Amino acid sequence: MGDDGVERVYRKRRRVPRAYLGLLGLVLGNAFVQLVRFSGERPGDGAGPRWGAPVFAVLILVTLVRVALEQYRAYTRVTSAGITARGPLRARTWAWPDVYDIRVEQAPRGSGRAAPQWLTYLYDHRGRRFLLPHLNDWQLDDPYAEVAELCLAAAPHRSLTWERRPDVEERIRRGAVRRKAWLWGVHGAVATLVVMIVVAVALVIAERGDHPFLLIVCVPPAAGVVLAAVLQWYWGVRPPRSLARQP
């Protein structure tokens, strides 16, 4: 922290929880097993396309690299001129007059303790939201107190106050509705996938499994998109209580 009280850098300060590493290892281990089985299948035995195995291997590698970059390269730097958020690949800087608000928000449900529960986002005057790396409950004991202190220290460097504007708040609300709708769309797609797998297995047993690709690959994403679109329209008219209570 600098002499003016606003200079600070948020980096990885604590080790990643073992639960996160365990979950990541479990997912990647299962992916590796499936990759080996996939590669070992012979043509004509119902194996997928030949490019599937290499693509799967690349996805595993990209996941590992991204996790490493997020932990060791990403940071949030705060100065009297503004805020810089460096992600795994690029950095973005906002001058203080371009910052509408900084808020600590709860992570989406379903992440469990294998991910940060409280994340910090920067909002600009267009209502767009940007994650501030390492400003979370994994790296800080009290993200709320830290952000409150940060906003107080940054106040002299802003030409505007931290007052809420109805037009920006409406854009933020619409963005929250869109994210919530598509999160439910993903959940709906996963649930549909489980159902389609059961249906496909039943059809195979009944010797009528002629379209497993359509059932397992095409139907779940389509169902997820439809569900997300319907929820986004409905919640746009009648916001759920969780969003209606947001400041």
Side-chain angles (χ1 to χ4, degrees), residues 4 6-8 77-84 93 96 150 154 157:
D4 62 355
V6 73
E7 302 277 346
R8 60 194 74 187
R77 182 186 302 275
V78 182
T79 68
S80 59
I83 299 180
T84 297
T93 300
W96 281 116
L150 173 59
H157 304 284

Side-chain angles (χ1 to χ4, degrees), residues 6-210:
V6 73
E7 302 277 346
R8 60 194 74 187
V9 178
Y10 302 97
R11 297 181 182 272
K12 175 181 175 295
R13 304 174 185 177
R14 299 175 179 173
R15 293 181 179 181
V16 179
R18 293 182 179 179
Y20 178 82
L21 295 177
L23 179 62
L24 180 63
L26 180 63
V27 172
L28 294 181
N30 179 68
F32 178 77
V33 171
Q34 298 301 325
L35 175 62
V36 172
R37 292 180 56 188
F38 190 93
S39 302
E41 290 181 347
R42 295 173 298 177
D45 289 346
R50 294 183 178 180
W51 49 262
V55 169
F56 210 30
V58 170
L59 290 177
I60 294 176
L61 179 61
V62 168
T63 299
L64 292 174
V65 171
R66 180 178 178 83
V67 170
L69 290 177
E70 285 179 342
Q71 293 300 313
Y72 297 100
R73 189 171 186 268
Y75 64 80
T76 298
R77 182 186 302 275
V78 182
T79 68
S80 59
I83 299 180
T84 297
R86 173 175 287 281
L89 300 178
R90 65 171 186 162
R92 183 162 187 162
T93 300
W94 297 265
W96 281 116
D98 299 327
V99 178
Y100 172 71
D101 201 3
I102 302 173
R103 300 180 182 180
V104 178
E105 301 178 1
Q106 190 170 18
R109 293 181 180 179
S111 58
R113 295 306 304 176
Q117 298 299 291
W118 297 96
L119 306 173
T120 303
Y121 294 94
L122 179 150
Y123 287 91
D124 65 11
H125 292 280
R126 297 172 59 185
R128 296 179 299 179
R129 186 177 78 159
F130 304 90
L131 177 67
L132 297 180
H134 295 312
L135 243 170
N136 55 51
D137 59 336
W138 271 9
Q139 304 301 333
L140 301 171
D141 294 328
D142 191 345
Y144 271 105
E146 182 67 27
V147 169
E149 180 185 348
L150 173 59
C151 291
L152 182 63
H157 304 284
R158 290 170 48 86
S159 58
L160 302 172
T161 64
W162 293 105
E163 294 180 359
R164 305 292 171 85
R165 291 167 43 191
D167 58 328
V168 180
E169 291 299 320
E170 176 60 23
R171 297 190 194 105
I172 292 175
R173 187 192 67 82
R174 290 199 300 264
V177 166
R178 182 176 60 253
R179 289 188 296 271
K180 186 177 182 67
W182 283 97
L183 178 61
W184 276 79
V186 171
H187 293 166
V190 173
T192 304
L193 174 62
V194 174
V195 174
M196 290 300 101
I197 290 176
V198 174
V199 172
V201 171
L203 291 177
V204 169
I205 295 175
E207 298 183 352
R208 297 175 57 186
D210 297 331

